[in-house]
Amino acid sequence: MATFLHRLGRWCAQHRFRVIGAWVALLALTVTGMLTLAKPLSNEFSIPGSRFEVVLQTLRDEIPEAAGTTGTVVLSSEQPFTAEQREAAAQAVAEWDALDSVSAVDPFESQDQLDATEDDLAQGRAELEDGRAQLEEGRAELETAREQLEEGRTQLEAGQAELDEQADQLATAQDELDAQVEELDAGVAAGQVPAQAEQAARAEIAAGQEQIDAGREQLDAGQEQLDASAEELQAGEDELAEGEATLEESAPEIEAGEEELAAGARLAEITDGFRVVNAEGTVALSQISVADAEGFIPPETTEAIQQIGSDLESEGIAVDFSKEITDDLSSLLGPGEVVGLAVAAVVLLVMLGTLVAAGLPILMALVGVGVGLTGALALSQWFDMQSITPVLALMLGLAVGIDYSLFLINRHRQQLQQGMDVRSSIALAVGTSGNAVTFAGLTVIIALAALTLTGIPFLGVMGLVAAATVGISVLVAITLTPAMLALIGQRVLPRRAREGHARHRESQQAHEADTGRGWAAVVQRRPWWAILAVLAIVAGLGYPTAQLRLGLPDGSSEPAGSTAYTTYDTVREEFGAGANGPVLVVAELDTPVADGTTALTTAQADLAEELMAVEGVQQVLPAGVNEARDVLAFQLQPEGGPAEASTEDLVDRLGTAVEQIGADQDATLGLTGQTVANIDVSERLADALPLYLVVVVGLSLILLLLVFRSIVIPLLATGGFLLSIAAAFGAVVSVYQLGFASSIFGVNEAGPILSFLPILLIGILFGLAMDYQVFLVSSMREEHVHGKDARTAVVTGFNHSARVVTAAAIIMISVFAGFVWAHLTMVRPIGLGLAVGVLVDAFLVRMTLTPAVMSLLGEKAWWLPRWLDRILPDVDVEGAQLERQLSGSAPGQEEEPSPSR
């Protein structure tokens, strides 16, 4: 490897313009790709196949209007909103709603509907009571009419009976009269009746007949009267039947109204107290949902939303937007990062003594991150990428890019001061320090690429993009840096150094050979004190780590005074903390809800009441129903904010409760929404952390075993790495979760730690820790291999590499610290964790603890079983064999090393 890099370095120096042109062309190509292919970045973190993703997909398929990415707009006025202001707000809502894929809610209209709910219920109750009274009154009237009809029928029947009796009597009288006529006729015929008697008899019979005829007339008149009464009675019965039918028709309507009213009252009781305009009438809350937003609202949409909102200020309405609407993901570099670069430039200038040499590592780093980031952004056309992904790559690319070039430049300068010509020095620097840089870069790349082992796509993308950027930084260091050094020539040295090579070289060699000088010598005189001091400092820094709580950022983490934080805080104060992070519940019913409003309202009330009974649920609101009426959505408002521990506990309780509720209601219930997503992502990341830590620690042991050919040193390096991790975690928890010195670090409100920060810190710090381990301890090993005893090799090797490692560490700390005040608040804890981690790892673990322990162990530090020594390949990280192969060459001779390596 060293031989190959030696040849590569010499070729790049000889063909410097080709190399520079190739990198310029590559940068132009990636920039063009970024400008033409890049998609907007996202702040949504998701895990395909997870609980919330499955439920969210159901919601997108069945009730898409409830599944869009939602932002919050807060309207506020010093005095209660006037009619003119309400009208202006309604106009703004209409303009928002007119945007493509955007739906907005008028808070004043919604609040009027909410306020009218109780009045509507009271009016409904009154109407139902009136209807019920009318129904009872009608029934009473019908009963009276029925009694009257029954009495009339009785009288009719009595009259008919009397008429029938009279008819019978008339018939009997007629029969008797007819018999008298026959008898009279028979007597007259027989001559038995005298004429005078016959005349008298016939007069009597005629009088009787007249009476009978008169009786018949009276009977017919009575019958007619009875028939008329019967007809009236029948009409009354028909009318009664009609009235009864009408009452029977009214009764179900009243009962249905009562059922609907009861269901509405149940929902009203559950949603009682929910408001979108505060009681004083000075703050209104509007929700803006963007469909098909893929987890983020496009920049052109957010810009249009904010522009429409800004027009309300002329009406005396203050408008604030939540972070979903205000997140600016277009800028990767802010003032804090620039300050970090400025500090790095000062350190380089002090160390290298010339502007040309000091500017070269920064230029190399910018080229590396330029190619890496623009290439990654071009690939965002095909891969979803979170906003933090390029920022993380930028952070690492700048830090390692400066350091890797610095190591090569420092080695090249030392060789120039020893009299070596430029091209030979460049080739040797790439073959030796370039070899160490390549190995160190590979450790960082492997650690970052191993993030794909977590099975979490967005984290894997972060790791791969950062790993690719680090890889490009390594390529820049071993190709473009030699080309630029060849172009610069002797100007890489200060003028005084160029004029006094011999004197400077003798002074430097004397300093490095003095075992009584330097920090390692101080540590070696009091190794136990050094060890105890390091452990005490790390224990103090790492103590808060035990309180680590993971989560994802919400509006409370935004800077004080920002519109996103103002929105979050106003919503919390006026409408409850849970209004900032509602939980969505999706119920898939075994049987669709029957047609009709009452059936739907009852089904919603049945589920809502059971959800409301779960401890920690403040309110439950129906959020939608699909066309098939077999999927219902609900919005649950927790008592606490989205990042509070109480909300996490609630989601855990809901996870168990929805199973029982589903069994009771013949449905399948699931949870989704941003709050649930954040909790699920955090839990999955926490579950993946132990495996990742085992992989990284195991990898560190194997790599260090190959590099240092020692059993003890890899264990010491890995143990020191764990100390650095503990200190970094402790510092982050202290500042961002517990609020220690929060004002200094711009922490507005303390809260849970970014859920993927532990894995990122472990991976990144592992790679960086191996960098310093390689550059420091490999120098000690080389001194020991060259014949010095173990204790002397510790000091001389340390003195040989401490200056450049110190400068590199300061530069890396400065770059990382610049991100502590980054404009993207999500990056800030990562910047602090890396800055503290590198500080502890470089100055306490590698430059204090490691020399102290190695001094105590002496020769035992380099112990390796013979059988293991035989099977381990010699990686020769420092290129010592290459130097030995070239040691017989004259300083300016361009001898090609043997191709044996």
Side-chain angles (χ1 to χ4, degrees):
M1 185 66 177
T3 300
F4 169 76
L5 291 175
H6 180 273
R7 291 175 176 172
L8 177 64
R10 184 191 304 176
W11 187 90
C12 291
Q14 291 173 342
H15 303 87
R16 54 190 180 274
F17 292 111
R18 291 184 185 179
V19 174
I20 295 171
W23 278 105
V24 171
L26 180 59
L27 180 60
L29 179 64
T30 57
V31 169
T32 302
M34 178 193 69
L35 295 176
T36 57
L37 299 174
K39 287 197 314 183
L41 304 179
S42 170
N43 261 349
E44 183 189 43
F45 300 93
S46 62
I47 303 176
S50 61
R51 169 181 63 175
F52 78 91
E53 280 284 355
V54 172
V55 178
L56 183 60
Q57 188 57 51
T58 299
L59 195 61
R60 286 170 177 161
D61 294 339
E62 301 294 339
I63 316 175
E65 64 272 13
T69 300
T70 302
T72 301
V73 181
V74 170
L75 311 177
S76 55
S77 174
E78 295 182 358
Q79 301 296 328
F81 291 104
T82 64
E84 291 77 12
Q85 289 177 323
R86 290 166 61 107
E87 184 178 349
Q91 179 61 34
V93 169
E95 292 180 20
W96 286 326
D97 205 51
L99 296 174
D100 186 33
S101 300
V102 175
S103 60
V105 178
D106 185 342
F108 300 105
E109 181 179 346
S110 299
Q111 190 62 55
D112 289 342
Q113 293 174 354
L114 289 169
D115 293 340
T117 299
E118 189 62 36
D119 293 338
D120 292 343
L121 287 173
Q123 182 179 353
R125 290 190 186 97
E127 290 176 353
L128 283 173
E129 289 297 328
D130 184 55
R132 176 67 68 183
Q134 291 178 2
L135 182 64
E136 294 301 324
E137 183 180 350
R139 283 176 175 164
E141 291 176 355
L142 286 174
E143 188 63 29
T144 301
R146 190 187 305 280
E147 292 175 357
Q148 291 174 350
L149 285 172
E150 289 297 329
E151 183 180 353
R153 185 165 293 282
T154 301
Q155 293 176 354
L156 184 64
E157 290 175 352
Q160 186 65 52
E162 185 178 351
L163 286 176
D164 291 342
E165 183 181 354
Q166 291 177 0
D168 291 341
Q169 291 175 353
L170 287 174
T172 301
Q174 185 67 52
D175 290 342
E176 291 177 354
L177 189 63
D178 289 342
Q180 290 178 4
V181 172
E182 289 179 0
E183 184 181 354
L184 179 63
D185 288 341
V188 171
Q192 295 177 356
V193 179
Q196 186 178 0
E198 178 184 359
Q199 183 177 3
R202 291 193 183 279
E204 184 179 350
I205 290 173
Q209 187 64 52
E210 289 179 0
Q211 290 179 352
I212 291 174
D213 292 340
R216 283 198 176 100
E217 290 178 0
Q218 290 178 355
L219 188 62
D220 290 340
Q223 188 63 53
E224 290 179 1
Q225 186 176 1
L226 281 178
D227 290 343
S229 298
E231 290 179 0
E232 292 179 1
L233 186 62
Q234 184 62 47
E237 288 179 346
D238 293 342
E239 186 177 349
L240 179 63
E242 185 178 348
E244 288 177 339
T246 302
L247 285 179
E248 290 300 322
E249 292 176 0
S250 300
E253 293 180 3
I254 292 176
E255 290 176 0
E258 288 177 339
E259 292 177 1
E260 183 176 356
L261 185 66
R266 291 167 63 193
L267 277 183
E269 184 177 357
I270 294 170
T271 59
D272 183 42
F274 177 76
R275 300 190 65 86
V276 290
V277 178
N278 67 347
E280 293 78 12
T282 56
V283 178
L285 174 65
S286 179
Q287 299 287 350
I288 296 181
S289 181
V290 182
D292 302 325
E294 299 182 2
F296 65 94
I297 302 176
E300 60 273 13
T301 303
T302 61
E303 183 179 352
I305 291 172
Q306 293 179 66
Q307 180 58 48
I308 293 170
S310 65
D311 295 339
L312 290 174
E313 295 179 359
S314 61
E315 299 291 337
I317 300 176
V319 183
D320 290 293
F321 303 91
S322 65
K323 65 190 301 292
E324 293 83 3
I325 300 174
T326 60
D327 275 344
D328 180 10
L329 309 180
S330 60
S331 175
L332 300 180
L333 201 64
E337 295 89 323
V338 173
V339 170
L341 283 178
V343 174
V346 171
V347 174
L348 288 170
L349 185 59
V350 171
M351 178 184 178
L352 301 178
T354 170
L355 285 173
V356 173
L360 186 57
I362 295 178
L363 176 62
M364 297 299 95
L366 291 175
V367 171
V369 298
V371 172
L373 289 187
T374 54
L377 291 173
L379 293 176
S380 67
Q381 177 71 28
W382 297 278
F383 300 97
D384 291 334
M385 192 174 297
Q386 279 66 36
S387 61
I388 196 173
T389 301
V391 179
L392 177 65
L394 172 67
M395 186 188 307
L396 288 177
L398 288 176
V400 302
I402 294 173
D403 278 8
Y404 292 166
S405 294
L406 175 62
F407 289 135
L408 264 71
I409 294 169
N410 182 68
R411 181 64 176 258
H412 174 56
R413 282 160 52 94
Q414 290 176 350
Q415 292 166 173
L416 288 180
Q417 290 169 349
Q418 293 171 0
M420 188 176 291
D421 73 273
V422 172
R423 289 188 179 178
S424 297
S425 175
I426 291 173
L428 184 58
V430 176
T432 53
S433 291
N435 197 27
V437 163
T438 302
F439 177 82
L442 284 175
T443 61
V444 180
I445 292 169
I446 292 171
L448 290 170
L451 290 172
T452 56
L453 298 177
T454 62
I456 300 173
F458 76 82
L459 194 60
V461 171
M462 282 186 197
L464 291 176
V465 171
T469 304
V470 172
I472 292 171
S473 297
V474 172
L475 291 176
V476 168
I478 61 177
T479 59
L480 184 58
T481 301
M484 293 300 297
L485 289 174
L487 189 65
I488 294 172
Q490 291 287 343
R491 286 176 297 170
V492 74
L493 293 173
R495 179 172 299 176
R496 284 182 294 179
R498 294 198 296 268
E499 294 172 352
H501 289 327
R503 184 173 68 254
H504 181 81
R505 181 175 67 253
E506 291 173 0
S507 174
Q508 184 176 5
Q509 290 175 345
H511 174 75
E512 293 174 358
D514 188 353
T515 58
R517 297 180 60 183
W519 177 247
V522 174
V523 169
Q524 197 171 72
R525 287 194 289 269
R526 297 287 188 274
W528 284 111
W529 283 108
I531 293 172
L532 291 175
V534 170
L535 293 178
I537 294 172
V538 172
L541 287 172
Y543 175 74
T545 303
Q547 303 177 59
L548 175 66
R549 187 168 69 87
L550 300 179
L552 286 173
D554 56 24
S556 65
S557 63
E558 295 298 310
S562 66
T563 183
Y565 177 76
T566 301
T567 299
Y568 182 93
D569 191 46
T570 303
V571 171
R572 175 174 53 189
E573 291 295 325
E574 298 293 343
F575 306 104
N580 281 302
V583 175
L584 290 176
V585 178
V586 178
E588 298 181 71
L589 307 180
D590 295 343
T591 304
V593 177
D595 292 338
T597 304
T598 302
L600 177 60
T601 306
T602 301
Q604 290 175 326
D606 289 341
L607 287 166
E609 284 176 344
E610 294 212 37
L611 291 170
M612 189 69 183
V614 179
E615 180 186 355
V617 176
Q618 189 172 29
Q619 287 172 335
V620 179
L621 301 172
V625 58
N626 67 337
E627 291 184 4
R629 296 168 71 92
D630 60 356
V631 177
L632 306 179
F634 298 89
Q635 180 176 294
L636 274 66
Q637 182 171 319
E639 293 178 353
E644 292 184 24
S646 63
T647 303
E648 294 181 26
D649 296 338
L650 170 61
V651 172
D652 289 340
R653 287 193 297 271
L654 283 170
T656 304
V658 294
E659 295 181 5
Q660 184 61 49
I661 295 173
D664 294 342
Q665 299 293 333
D666 296 328
T668 301
L669 275 67
L671 308 178
T672 189
Q674 193 59 49
T675 298
V676 177
N678 292 353
I679 293 172
D680 283 3
V681 170
S682 299
E683 290 178 352
R684 284 285 294 272
L685 287 166
D687 293 340
L689 182 58
L691 173 63
Y692 183 73
L693 183 60
V694 168
V695 171
V696 170
V697 170
L699 183 63
S700 70
L701 290 172
I702 294 172
L703 291 175
L704 293 176
L705 184 65
L706 291 173
V707 173
F708 300 117
R709 309 187 72 79
S710 165
I711 295 293
V712 175
I713 291 178
L715 293 175
L716 175 60
T718 303
F721 160 65
L722 295 177
L723 292 178
S724 302
I725 285 292
F729 282 4
V732 171
V733 171
S734 296
V735 174
Y736 292 95
Q737 182 177 319
L738 304 181
F740 177 76
S742 58
S743 60
I744 298 175
F745 294 94
V747 180
N748 189 24
E749 287 191 22
I753 301 304
L754 194 65
S755 55
F756 50 83
L757 182 142
I759 284 183
L760 287 180
L761 283 187
I762 288 172
I764 297 169
L765 285 178
F766 160 68
L768 301 181
M770 296 309 102
D771 286 0
Y772 300 127
Q773 185 77 7
V774 167
F775 285 106
L776 278 170
V777 181
S778 60
S779 295
M780 301 175 188
R781 180 176 181 270
E782 190 62 25
E783 294 292 327
H784 184 255
V785 169
H786 286 168
K788 294 182 180 178
D789 66 89
R791 287 176 58 86
T792 302
V794 168
V795 177
T796 55
F798 183 94
N799 290 343
H800 178 72
S801 56
R803 186 168 180 264
V804 66
V805 170
T806 299
I810 292 174
I811 290 169
M812 192 168 285
I813 293 167
S814 301
V815 172
F816 290 150
F819 285 85
V820 173
W821 291 274
H823 69 291
L824 192 62
T825 55
M826 202 185 321
V827 177
R828 296 179 180 184
I830 299 177
L832 179 65
L834 291 176
V836 172
V838 171
L839 176 66
V840 170
D841 193 83
F843 294 108
L844 295 182
V845 174
R846 308 302 161 192
M847 301 180 74
T848 303
L849 181 67
T850 298
V853 174
M854 291 182 66
S855 296
L856 288 173
L857 292 175
E859 295 295 335
K860 296 178 182 179
W862 302 105
W863 175 76
L864 182 71
R866 291 183 179 179
W867 64 268
L868 187 58
D869 184 47
R870 288 194 299 270
I871 64 175
L872 286 179
D874 186 1
V875 296
D876 188 27
V877 173
E878 277 297 313
Q881 295 186 28
L882 174 65
E883 289 188 273
R884 286 194 291 271
Q885 292 173 20
L886 298 176
S887 60
S889 304
Q893 190 173 345
E894 295 271 352
E895 180 177 320
E896 184 71 33
S898 171
S900 61
R901 286 193 60 79

